[in-house]
Amino acid sequence: MKRYILAIIVILVLGLVGYGVYVVYHSPNNQRLESIEVKVRADEGAPIFMDSEDVQREMAQLGLNYKGLLIDSIDVGSVERKLRKNPLFKDVEVYITAFSRKMVVEVTQQQALFLVQTGGRSYYVTADRGVIPLNPRYAIYLPVASGDINEDYACSTLYDLFQALEADEYFRNYFGQVYVDKEQGIILTPRIGRTPLILGHSTAWADMLHKYQIFAQQVLSHVGDDAYEYVKLSYKNQIVARPRGWEQKQDSIIKQ
């Protein structure tokens, strides 16, 4: 009986010693980081500035390649703060899974609506009415706005226009360029064709876009996208269009 009890005690002691060795060995104080996983998130359908490999390179340039270091020595908060300084990132979350000895970096990117190029300055306007300086290394393909534009105007009037275009299935991705002229106001250029649409200074986007859609379906579909020098939409209940070769022709006035 005494031998049986002694054997049980020995087994328990050995078990405790083995568990202690396991805990010490697998403690974060003694583990080294083996890998870094980057997850890039963005709004559905939004163009991506940086993929996971781009973020990895960005981290390396910032001195954040911690592979091989003791996990307990890594300041996760510092990693987040440094990555959040990148204006392309809306949010950053970093955590370490001790069991797998892996750092996970989850990056949520900004959503850009259009690119402004004016006065020697280029920047994107974002979905939350902010701006992102253009980084040539991570440029994305979006409509371009130029002309007489300042940042306040870009983040208010032009923002509202692009939101109206995005909300309309017919005009989504329809226009490639926007030019703002002091006299004529906003001028849109379609991705297909050379006929500019002059909106003027009115902000009645829905009414003007509705008029143009009817014009495009009933007129341009028959005469071609390049049949006119320009189309003016700022007049109430009518469209003014100038045919090409206007020296011999008068403007066409189409009432609706």
Side-chain angles (χ1 to χ4, degrees):
M1 183 66 179
K2 291 182 179 179
R3 290 181 179 179
Y4 177 75
I5 294 175
L6 181 61
I8 293 176
I9 293 174
V10 170
I11 292 172
L12 289 173
V13 170
L14 290 175
L16 289 172
V17 171
Y19 177 75
V21 171
Y22 175 85
V23 170
V24 170
Y25 177 77
H26 290 274
S27 169
N29 295 323
N30 296 280
Q31 292 186 64
R32 295 185 180 275
L33 191 70
E34 293 185 355
S35 63
I36 298 175
E37 179 183 359
V38 175
K39 300 178 181 180
V40 177
R41 306 187 188 281
D43 293 337
E44 184 177 357
I48 299 295
F49 285 101
M50 303 171 68
D51 58 23
S52 59
E53 292 182 359
D54 293 327
V55 177
Q56 290 268 20
R57 285 192 291 269
E58 185 85 358
M59 292 179 64
Q61 292 175 359
L62 293 172
L64 301 178
N65 189 357
Y66 292 138
K67 285 193 293 186
L69 295 183
L70 291 172
I71 290 178
D72 193 51
S73 69
I74 300 173
D75 184 354
V76 171
S78 176
V79 177
E80 289 183 346
R81 288 190 294 273
K82 289 181 179 179
L83 289 177
R84 285 195 179 110
K85 291 181 179 179
N86 189 325
L88 300 180
F89 302 155
K90 181 165 58 175
D91 191 26
V92 178
E93 183 179 0
V94 180
Y95 56 91
I96 294 176
T97 57
F99 180 77
S100 61
R101 296 185 284 280
K102 177 172 64 176
M103 174 189 287
V104 179
V105 179
E106 296 185 357
V107 174
T108 303
Q109 294 196 24
Q110 296 274 14
Q111 180 184 359
L113 299 181
F114 57 97
L115 173 66
V116 176
Q117 293 182 321
T118 183
R121 184 183 175 210
S122 299
Y123 56 89
Y124 295 101
V125 174
T126 67
D128 58 359
R129 296 184 188 269
V131 299
I132 305 172
L134 172 66
N135 185 336
R137 290 187 301 167
Y138 305 117
I140 56 177
Y141 180 69
L142 286 174
V144 177
S146 59
D148 187 32
I149 303 172
N150 58 37
E151 188 174 310
D152 288 339
Y153 185 83
C155 295
S156 55
T157 302
L158 285 186
Y159 175 93
D160 293 339
L161 171 60
F162 276 96
Q163 286 289 71
L165 294 172
E166 180 65 23
D168 191 312
E169 185 176 354
Y170 182 86
F171 289 107
R172 192 177 302 146
N173 300 318
Y174 193 97
F175 300 102
Q177 293 185 359
V178 177
Y179 185 80
V180 181
D181 183 82
K182 286 185 179 181
E183 301 297 329
Q184 299 188 81
I186 294 176
I187 303 171
L188 301 176
T189 302
R191 296 183 188 275
I192 299 176
R194 297 177 293 130
T195 303
L197 279 66
I198 303 175
L199 303 184
H201 298 282
S202 172
T203 57
W205 315 126
D207 291 341
M208 288 188 286
L209 291 173
H210 179 67
K211 285 194 301 183
Y212 179 73
Q213 182 176 351
I214 295 174
F215 176 77
Q217 292 172 338
Q218 296 183 355
V219 179
L220 295 184
S221 61
H222 297 290
V223 300
D225 295 319
D226 292 331
Y228 294 92
E229 292 282 349
Y230 61 74
V231 175
K232 289 186 177 181
L233 302 174
S234 56
Y235 299 102
K236 187 175 182 180
N237 298 325
Q238 66 182 22
I239 292 175
V240 176
R242 172 163 291 183
R244 295 196 181 277
W246 61 271
E247 294 85 356
Q248 292 81 34
K249 302 176 183 178
Q250 294 182 341
D251 287 357
S252 299
I253 299 177
I254 303 168
K255 295 185 178 181
Q256 294 185 329

